[in-house]
Amino acid sequence: MEFIPRNTGLFGRAKGGISRAQGMVFRRLLDELASDSYEEVEAQARALAARPRRFWDRRPEPVLLARTYALTAAVLHGRREHVLPELDTLTAELQHITGGDRALLLVLRVNRAVVLLGEEQYAKAESEAADVLGEVTRLAHLTQVADIELSALACLAEALCGQGRFEEAEAVARGNLSRATGNRAASLRCLLVRSLNGQGRYEEALAESRQPTPPASRAGSGASAMVAAAALHGLNRRDEAEMTVRQALAECEQFLHPAHPRIRQARELLARVTVGDPSPETLDGGVGSS
């Protein structure tokens, strides 16, 4: 899923300390991020952050924004080692800037929730997502933060699934799916299917997985196939389940960083499908928006 919305006031000197020329650079990077060019965006953003300040800007905001882009690209790609300390450091630096963009701080906190989900720290991820949602309600009249809100809701639903609270996760995913578009719709659909799997409602989960949904971004590679495979396995359609989870694993290995947690989750699901029947509580597919 993408985390950086376009209409947050980040690209004007009065709002975010970003000049017009710098704003053009960041808009181009945002377009590349939306086109799933995660490696390229991270490399370019880190290079911008490392440029001598006399050539870039003496103000701190451009460097902080470049670092935010780099970290977001790394999280989406799945290259998350050492990212959590970087996120915490950058968040602290932004908080010390007078008039620092609060929406950008929320972007960093959504990234943090995603990393926590990948580390299976579900209670911490739930708390982080809930805090972001609380902040969003205070920003809604100032800026366009719907994208951040939907990303945080997806994180919340995944955190609830990770704690076995599937009915609550279903309510979050189902209640917000109709207003989501693009990558966020794909993510919430996947989480809805996972929540139904977790409740043992496999027929309903499989039917839901086949509903028309916008294609996932590269960051969502393999996610929908994994929860569909879990539903098929729950229905004892093991040949179909194995074929589907192998497809998911191939997608993950092709498009995600080797350290992405979804690759491990896909391999674990494949082992359960091919070796023997797991206990019912493990059949949710083990994957969500992260």
Side-chain angles (χ1 to χ4, degrees), residues 123-138:
K124 289 183 179 180
E126 179 189 0
S127 177
E128 192 73 55
D131 286 348
V132 169
L133 291 169
E135 287 293 324
V136 163
T137 63
R138 290 188 281 273

Side-chain angles (χ1 to χ4, degrees), residues 68-184:
T68 299
Y69 273 66
L71 286 171
T72 298
V75 170
L76 288 169
H77 189 203
R79 195 194 62 70
R80 301 174 183 177
E81 65 273 24
H82 311 304
V83 164
L84 201 56
E86 280 190 78
L87 285 169
D88 290 341
T89 298
L90 182 54
T91 298
E93 291 179 37
L94 275 167
Q95 287 172 333
H96 283 95
I97 294 178
T98 302
D101 193 284
R102 293 174 67 189
L104 188 60
L105 286 168
L106 296 184
V107 168
L108 291 171
R109 296 189 68 180
V110 170
N111 274 305
R112 189 175 193 275
V114 171
V115 174
L116 290 170
L117 288 168
E119 295 180 351
E120 299 183 358
Q121 298 186 48
Y122 297 118
K124 289 183 179 180
E126 179 189 0
S127 177
E128 192 73 55
D131 286 348
V132 169
L133 291 169
E135 287 293 324
V136 163
T137 63
R138 290 188 281 273
L139 281 178
H141 67 290
L142 298 174
T143 185
Q144 176 55 257
V145 290
D147 291 345
I148 297 175
E149 180 187 17
L150 286 168
S151 295
L153 285 164
C155 288
L156 177 62
E158 185 173 350
L160 292 170
C161 282
Q163 296 173 82
R165 293 156 60 186
F166 298 110
E167 294 87 351
E168 295 174 68
E170 178 189 357
V172 172
R174 195 184 295 279
N176 293 282
L177 185 56
S178 63
R179 66 189 184 96
T181 59
N183 299 332
R184 292 171 183 82

Side-chain angles (χ1 to χ4, degrees), residues 26-271:
F26 286 119
R27 286 184 185 279
R28 176 177 56 78
L29 286 180
L30 190 59
D31 289 339
E32 291 185 31
L33 196 64
S35 66
D36 298 343
S37 301
Y38 305 142
E39 301 95 327
E40 293 84 351
V41 170
E42 181 181 1
Q44 292 177 58
R46 290 194 183 278
L48 287 174
R51 289 178 70 174
R53 293 289 291 278
R54 65 183 181 276
F55 293 120
W56 184 233
D57 199 320
R58 295 188 182 277
R59 296 173 62 93
E61 289 90 347
V63 173
L64 296 175
L65 186 55
R67 288 165 60 192
T68 299
Y69 273 66
L71 286 171
T72 298
V75 170
L76 288 169
H77 189 203
R79 195 194 62 70
R80 301 174 183 177
E81 65 273 24
H82 311 304
V83 164
L84 201 56
E86 280 190 78
L87 285 169
D88 290 341
T89 298
L90 182 54
T91 298
E93 291 179 37
L94 275 167
Q95 287 172 333
H96 283 95
I97 294 178
T98 302
D101 193 284
R102 293 174 67 189
L104 188 60
L105 286 168
L106 296 184
V107 168
L108 291 171
R109 296 189 68 180
V110 170
N111 274 305
R112 189 175 193 275
V114 171
V115 174
L116 290 170
L117 288 168
E119 295 180 351
E120 299 183 358
Q121 298 186 48
Y122 297 118
K124 289 183 179 180
E126 179 189 0
S127 177
E128 192 73 55
D131 286 348
V132 169
L133 291 169
E135 287 293 324
V136 163
T137 63
R138 290 188 281 273
L139 281 178
H141 67 290
L142 298 174
T143 185
Q144 176 55 257
V145 290
D147 291 345
I148 297 175
E149 180 187 17
L150 286 168
S151 295
L153 285 164
C155 288
L156 177 62
E158 185 173 350
L160 292 170
C161 282
Q163 296 173 82
R165 293 156 60 186
F166 298 110
E167 294 87 351
E168 295 174 68
E170 178 189 357
V172 172
R174 195 184 295 279
N176 293 282
L177 185 56
S178 63
R179 66 189 184 96
T181 59
N183 299 332
R184 292 171 183 82
S187 177
L188 287 171
R189 177 76 66 188
C190 178
L191 286 160
L192 175 57
V193 175
R194 181 180 175 188
S195 70
L196 295 170
N197 280 334
Q199 297 173 66
R201 294 157 60 185
Y202 303 120
E203 288 280 7
E204 190 177 348
L206 187 60
E208 197 66 54
S209 73
R210 293 172 174 172
Q211 290 295 311
T213 306
S217 66
R218 180 182 168 195
S221 296
S224 61
M226 283 180 64
V227 292
L232 289 164
H233 191 38
L235 294 169
N236 292 316
R237 295 162 61 174
R238 295 184 60 180
D239 289 344
E240 294 174 79
E242 180 178 351
M243 179 181 66
T244 305
V245 75
R246 287 189 185 280
Q247 171 194 335
L249 180 57
E251 288 181 19
C252 291
E253 291 176 336
Q254 180 179 357
F255 296 113
L256 302 177
H257 189 277
H260 198 295
R262 193 173 303 132
I263 295 178
R264 169 182 52 80
Q265 293 164 349
R267 289 171 178 161
E268 290 173 352
L269 180 58
L270 179 60

